[in-house]
Each structure stands twice: as structure tokens, then as C-alpha cells.
């Protein structure tokens, strides 16, 4: 795993939505739309937030939402062309921003040339060998699809040609200046597939970082078997919002103990929001508690990520229907100055917490201990390999909380925390507040 990842803090963007691209692919006779400059205009905003990395959703030619890829080697013409992408990479480089691309290698769109050829020539053809097949209700072979989505055709990961193609795609874009890959739906891909794909990629680009999307499954086992560097920590994401909403911090304490075990084996990718889930501000409806989730995010081990708009308190509910992701994948205005004024206080809270994380970079690999837990209160202690210690106290209750700790130095507290009723050296945390002590 590259050493630079220990210092990475990500801003996650879904480009097709962010740049206001149309929802369907353009016809061949329509001109390319040069939208990458729109995202370039937000790079300084992300750096000022405190992020030094950008995780991009799909940017390759696709039929609709980006996860139905048609050509892995071509920038989606709804976003731009190769020159636009190269200029964007250069702009990111000038600001010291790392770039991670979203690789959809479990499946492709039904309009992908290999699928079109396989449907014409049959499952026993060379093209047919790229896909997984099943027997349809009429007894005729048909391609398998991903999770019931007819437009997403599953690739055959037992075919060496598929593995070689994926390795070629990954090295192609690494050569163009990106720093790593997010592997979409990796939980559906056999771990052995990456044992063939990743060695040539790493031989050519040893500093590349590879993240797998794991919604469920054996996180640490998949990392060990596949050779990916990290996976998405959905267990922690779920516990963060639901334990706060339900005022049940026992759930979060349990998830954090599991997280500590994961972090002992790999560096998890941590988040409180992404392009596939309801916005945090729409889930945690008590606004006093939104930053409690953020405090945990930037306190525990891992490589933390902020989904674009969450730092402004964007709202949006994911719905299980066609177009159900639109609310959580909105277009952004031309420049940050066009944002609504009521989102900036939360932006500044993000800045404070990211600044705290940068002052204590050892937190990326810290070991975590649950010191105290009750329904509305949780005390966590993080320790560095050298023995340095920080304590985070969450208080969701209506009364002040003084954990049974020796006198400590206050490092950071929630912006809405009232003036403490005891000297700052005493670990007293106000109602509906959090604090970090040393």
C-alpha cells in the first residue's frame, strides 16, 4: 500500500450529476460537451475544505448513469474529451490533489460492443466468452445481469481475456496521471480475479491505491484474498447514522470495536455519505447531532471521505425507483460563491475537524478503545503506536456529561457546545455536544 494514503482526505464527486450532464448518452452526431472546467472551478474549494484527494464517480462513456459502461477507454462525451480530462488532471496536480477513478469491472452496459457482438454470435463465440450466461425461461441462453438490472450485463471473471482487459484499462489511466481506482461492486467479483489483474498493474505503478466497494461480506478476508488495498466501511456508515437517530450508541460502540479489528489488518475507507445513500442531513434530522457523526469520522482509523455537498448540509433522499438517485446526485452551481449561505457554518465545522485530523496524522492507524458507553453517551480513546492518546466524548443527552477521566487538555469541541461549567482542563461535555481531549 502506498504511504501517501495515510495522509489522504477525500472529496467524493459524482461527475455526471455534479456537472449537470444529461441523463442519457448523446447520439453519435451530437457534439462533445466540455464540462470538466465546471469541476476544475471547485478544486480550490475542496482544498480549502482540507481535502487533498478526489474520488470521482464514473467518467467513462456510458448509456446513462455511468455504471453501464460502453467504453472504458473513452471519456463520456457528456463530460468532455481526452484533452479536457488531461487539463483537469494537470489542474489537480498543481494543487497537490490525488485522483481516484471509478472502475466498473463487474458488469458493462448492454450497449457495450462486446455485449452486442456476443448477443449476435452466441455464448460459444470469443465475444460470448466475455460474459456469464444463464438459461432463460424459454430455454435460450441469455447473459446474466447484475442484481436484476437488465441493462447491466455481468462479465465472466474466469476469462483471462477479461482480466487482461481490466489490467490494461487500469494502467492506461494510471499512465494518464491518476493515482488509484475505486472498484465498483467488488463484493460481486471473485477475489481470485484481482490476483490476476493487480500484479501487472502494481508492477507498472507501485504507488497506485486500489479501493473496493464492499457493501456486505468479509471485509478483511476479501482484502487479504484479492490484494486490494482497502474497502468501503459500510458497517461503520450504517452504525454512525442509525445509532445517533435511535439514541443507541451501543450500536456504534459495537461497530467501532469491529472497525478497530479491520483497521489492524487494512486501512478502511470511511465515510458518512456517498452517491448511493440518503444524505446525512436528511437522515439525522436533529441538526445538533450531525457533527457527532463527523467527529467520529475524523477521529477513528481509516482514510476519511466527504461526499460533495454533505459539507454544506445538502439534503436528499434515495428512493428505490427509476431516477431515485437524482436527489442525492444534484448539479452544483458554477462556483462555490453561488451556494446558499446557510451551508457555510457546517463547511467550517468540516474544516475544523479536518484540521484536527491533520494535526494528528497518526489517527489513520490508531487503535481504538471504547471507554464508556450508554444510550446517549460514548467515550472513545485512540492511541498511537508510540502511546499518544486522544479521547472523544459524544453526548446526545439533555444534560452535561463528565466522564470518569483524569484532568485533560481540551483540543476541540463542537461549535454549538455552550461554555463549559468547569475549567477547560476538566472533561465536561455539554448537552448535545462532543469534545476531544488529550
Amino acid at each position: 500500500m502506498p504511504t501517501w494514503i495515510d495522509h489522504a482526505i477525500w472529496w467524493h464527486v459524482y461527475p455526471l450529476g455534479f456537472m449537470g450532464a444529461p441523463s442519457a448518452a448523446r447520439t453519435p452526431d451530437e457534439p462533445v460537451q466540455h464540462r470538466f472546467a465546471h469541476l476544475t472551478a471547485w478544486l480550490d474549494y475542496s482544498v480549502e475544505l482540507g481535502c487533498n484527494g478526489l474520488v470521482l464517480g464514473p467518467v467513462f462513456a456510458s448509456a446513462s448513469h455511468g455504471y453501464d459502461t460502453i467504453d472504458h477507454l473513452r471519456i463520456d462525451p457528456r463530460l468532455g474529451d481526452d484533452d479536457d480530462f488531461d487539463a483537469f488532471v494537470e489542474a489537480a496536480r498543481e494543487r497537490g490533489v490525488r485522483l481516484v477513478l471509478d472502475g466498473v469491472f463487474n458488469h458493462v452496459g448492454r450497449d457495450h460492443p462486446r455485449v452486442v457482438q456476443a448477443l449476435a454470435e452466441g455464448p460459444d463465440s470469443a465475444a460470448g466468452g466475455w460474459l456469464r450466461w444463464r438459461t432463460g425461461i424459454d430455454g435460450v441462453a441469455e447473459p446474466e445481469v447484475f442484481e436484476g438490472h437488465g441493462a447491466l450485463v455481468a462479465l465472466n471473471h474466469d476469462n483471462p481475456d477479461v482480466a487482461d482487459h481490466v489490467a490494461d484499462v487500469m494502467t492506461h489511466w494510471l499512465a494518464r496521471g491518476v493515482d488509484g481506482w475505486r472498484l465498483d461492486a467488488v463484493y460481486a467479483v471473485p477475489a481470485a480475479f484481482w490476483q490476476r489483474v493487480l500484479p501487472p498493474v502494481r508492477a507498472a505503478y507501485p504507488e497506485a491505491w486500489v479501493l473496493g466497494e464492499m457493501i456486505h461480506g468479509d471485509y478483511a478476508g476479501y482484502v487479504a484474498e484479492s490484494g486490494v488495498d482497502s474497502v468501503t466501511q459500510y458497517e461503520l456508515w450504517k452504525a454512525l447514522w442509525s445509532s445517533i437517530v435511535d439514541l443507541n450508541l451501543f450500536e456504534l460502540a459495537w461497530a467501532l470495536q469491529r472497525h478497530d479489528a479491520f483497521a489492524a489488518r487494512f486501512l478502511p475507507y470511511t465515510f458518512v455519505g456517498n452517491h448511493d445513500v440518503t444524505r446525512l442531513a436528511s437522515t439525522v434530522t436533529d441538526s445538533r447531532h450531525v457533527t457527532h457523526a463527523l467527529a467520529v469520522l475524523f477521529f477513528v482509523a481509516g482514510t476519511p471521505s466527504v461526499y460533495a455537498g454533505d459539507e454544506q448540509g445538502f439534503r436528499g433522499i434515495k428512493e428505490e425507483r427509476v431516477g431515485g438517485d437524482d436527489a442525492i446526485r444534484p448539479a452544483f452551481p458554477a462556483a462555490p460563491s453561488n451556494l446558499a449561505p446557510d451551508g457555510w457554518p457546517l463547511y467550517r465545522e468540516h474544516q475544523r475537524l479536518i484540521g484536527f485530523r491533520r494535526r494528528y496524522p497518526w489517527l489513520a492507524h490508531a487503535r481504538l478503545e471504547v471507554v464508556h458507553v450508554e444510550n446517549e453517551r460514548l467515550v472513545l480513546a485512540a492511541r498511537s503506536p508510540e502511546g499518544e492518546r486522544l479521547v472523544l466524548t459524544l453526548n446526545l443527552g439533555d444534560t452535561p456529561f463528565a466522564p470518569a477521566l483524569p484532568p485533560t487538555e481540551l483540543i476541540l469541541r463542537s461549535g454549538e457546545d455552550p461554555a463549559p461549567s468547569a475549567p477547560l482542563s476538566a472533561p465536561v461535555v455539554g448537552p448535545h455536544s462532543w469534545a476531544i481531549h488529550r
Side-chain angles (χ1 to χ4, degrees):
M1 185 173 66
T3 56
W4 59 261
I5 193 61
D6 289 352
H7 304 279
I9 295 179
W10 302 100
W11 200 48
H12 176 200
V13 169
Y14 176 75
L16 289 167
F18 189 103
M19 300 186 215
S23 58
R26 307 183 69 78
T27 60
D29 59 336
E30 290 182 284
V32 171
Q33 300 297 304
H34 302 281
R35 287 189 164 90
F36 261 100
H38 183 123
L39 184 54
T40 302
W42 284 79
L43 284 174
D44 290 337
Y45 168 94
S46 71
V47 172
E48 290 164 6
L49 179 64
C51 299
N52 60 352
L54 192 60
V55 175
L56 290 178
V59 297
F60 306 130
S62 73
S64 60
H65 46 60
Y67 292 96
D68 46 359
T69 314
I70 296 172
D71 187 346
H72 290 101
L73 297 176
R74 182 165 64 100
I75 295 297
D76 195 305
R78 291 174 289 172
L79 300 178
D81 55 22
D82 278 358
D83 290 341
D84 295 322
F85 182 78
D86 290 343
F88 176 74
V89 171
E90 180 61 27
R93 285 286 163 272
E94 291 173 353
R95 294 162 173 82
V97 174
R98 301 273 183 175
L99 295 176
V100 167
L101 296 185
D102 203 340
V104 188
F105 302 127
N106 174 68
H107 50 268
V108 294
R110 191 165 286 271
D111 295 328
H112 190 284
R114 194 70 64 176
V115 176
V116 173
Q117 184 181 4
L119 290 173
E121 298 177 1
D124 295 327
S125 65
W130 279 57
L131 312 180
R132 299 203 302 269
W133 297 80
R134 65 185 180 189
T135 302
I137 57 175
D138 56 0
V140 177
E142 62 184 21
E144 290 188 12
V145 298
F146 175 59
E147 296 184 348
H149 299 286
L152 307 180
V153 180
L155 292 170
N156 176 13
H157 299 102
D158 293 329
N159 186 339
D161 291 340
V162 173
D164 292 344
H165 171 71
V166 171
D168 289 344
V169 170
M170 293 177 73
T171 53
H172 172 85
W173 293 102
L174 289 166
R176 294 279 292 275
V178 306
D179 299 282
W181 285 91
R182 173 193 180 272
L183 306 176
D184 181 67
V186 80
Y187 58 89
V189 180
F193 177 73
W194 303 110
Q195 294 174 6
R196 179 182 179 102
V197 170
L198 293 180
V201 175
R202 295 197 189 282
Y205 296 95
E207 288 296 297
W209 180 67
V210 181
L211 163 70
E213 183 199 17
M214 287 284 285
I215 297 177
H216 45 66
D218 181 359
Y219 292 178
Y222 195 93
V223 170
E225 294 172 24
S226 66
V228 302
D229 294 307
S230 180
V231 294
T232 51
Q233 226 299 33
Y234 265 92
E235 280 192 21
L236 180 59
W237 161 79
K238 192 272 178 184
L240 274 169
W241 65 261
S242 65
S243 63
I244 292 173
V245 169
D246 296 339
L247 298 180
N248 176 21
L249 291 175
F250 285 94
E251 178 188 1
L252 180 56
W254 173 254
L256 286 170
Q257 289 171 335
R258 285 180 55 81
H259 180 77
D260 185 60
F262 295 147
R265 299 177 63 181
F266 67 94
L267 188 72
Y269 177 86
T270 55
F271 57 97
V272 297
N274 65 29
H275 66 300
D276 279 330
V277 301
T278 292
R279 293 273 186 179
L280 182 67
S282 292
T283 304
V284 180
T285 53
D286 188 333
S287 61
R288 297 173 298 180
H289 297 162
V290 168
T291 63
H292 287 68
L294 299 174
V296 175
L297 175 67
F298 292 108
F299 187 80
V300 303
T303 178
S305 174
V306 177
Y307 180 48
D310 281 357
E311 76 284 352
Q312 292 281 342
F314 278 22
R315 296 179 178 272
I317 296 175
K318 178 182 175 67
E319 300 178 12
E320 296 301 329
R321 60 173 178 81
V322 175
D325 292 319
D326 292 350
I328 58 176
R329 302 174 179 180
F332 274 56
S337 58
N338 300 125
L339 289 168
D342 57 359
W344 289 101
L346 185 57
Y347 178 91
R348 289 189 285 273
E349 282 294 284
H350 278 78
Q351 286 181 312
R352 292 201 314 133
L353 281 161
I354 293 173
F356 155 76
R357 179 65 169 233
R358 295 232 175 269
R359 291 196 299 276
Y360 299 95
W362 56 262
L363 285 170
H365 292 281
R367 298 311 305 269
L368 194 70
E369 175 191 0
V370 176
V371 177
H372 174 89
V373 60
E374 49 187 285
N375 283 342
E376 298 177 353
R377 290 157 177 158
L378 181 65
V379 182
L380 306 171
R383 293 185 184 275
S384 74
E386 294 74 30
E388 189 172 355
R389 182 174 183 261
L390 291 170
V391 176
L392 169 64
T393 301
L394 306 180
N395 182 8
L396 303 177
D398 294 326
T399 58
F401 174 51
L405 297 171
T408 56
E409 176 190 356
L410 178 67
I411 301 298
L412 196 68
R413 63 180 181 180
S414 53
E416 297 180 4
D417 193 359
S421 57
L424 292 183
S425 61
V428 177
V429 181
H432 304 285
S433 300
W434 54 264
I436 299 172
H437 290 81
R438 178 169 56 193

